[in-house]
Amino acid sequence: MSGRTDSDTQDGIRTDAIEAHDTDTPDDMPGPDPADADADADGDSGEDEYAGEDARQARWTAAGTGALLTLAGLAAALLRLTGPAPALVPAAYALGAAVCALAALLGSRGRTRRALWLLIAGVMVMAVGDQLD
């Protein structure tokens, strides 16, 4: 079966659909308000009022969390390095801390979505180090 229909059938379907659409929508329905379109075009919309503040807050959150997790990972790596743990454990903590440092850098530059995903990956690498301990 090719899935193709005769051209005569499709023309009839198209015509029926257009006629049904024309009869379903009355002409006296209210349309969009032109005043709202002008407000959105000027940028006076209330939704964009906090956009800059939200972006700044997300940037600071990503950078601060990345720096905090970097310090925690480095401290854990140094503590495990001095103890009897296998060498893979402090390496996992250090690698997770490096990933979190990269996330802090990206977060400070405004790449918050990538930074948050890298924070998750860094914490997961540190968790692997914790499981190996």
Side-chain angles (χ1 to χ4, degrees):
M1 197 170 212
S2 68
R4 295 180 56 174
T5 60
D6 295 337
S7 61
D8 295 337
T9 307
Q10 279 200 342
D11 289 337
I13 292 172
R14 239 184 250 136
T15 306
D16 292 343
I18 291 172
E19 288 173 1
H21 179 69
D22 288 342
T23 59
D24 288 344
T25 55
D27 292 335
D28 59 345
M29 287 187 65
D33 189 15
D36 290 341
D38 291 339
D40 289 341
D42 294 338
D44 294 337
S45 174
E47 297 172 6
D48 296 335
E49 185 176 340
Y50 298 106
E53 185 178 328
D54 289 343
R56 189 177 314 114
Q57 184 179 10
R59 193 169 44 241
W60 277 100
T61 301
T65 305
L68 183 67
L69 287 173
T70 299
L71 291 176
L74 288 176
L78 289 175
L79 285 173
R80 297 296 184 230
L81 191 62
T82 60
L88 193 56
V89 174
Y93 280 118
L95 181 63
V99 171
C100 288
L102 178 63
L105 178 71
L106 287 176
S108 68
R109 293 182 178 219
R111 306 287 186 191
T112 54
R113 183 176 296 155
R114 290 182 184 132
L116 293 176
W117 280 111
L118 279 176
L119 287 174
I120 292 169
V123 169
M124 287 175 65
V125 170
M126 286 190 236
V128 168
D130 188 46
Q131 288 296 315
L132 292 174
D133 191 16

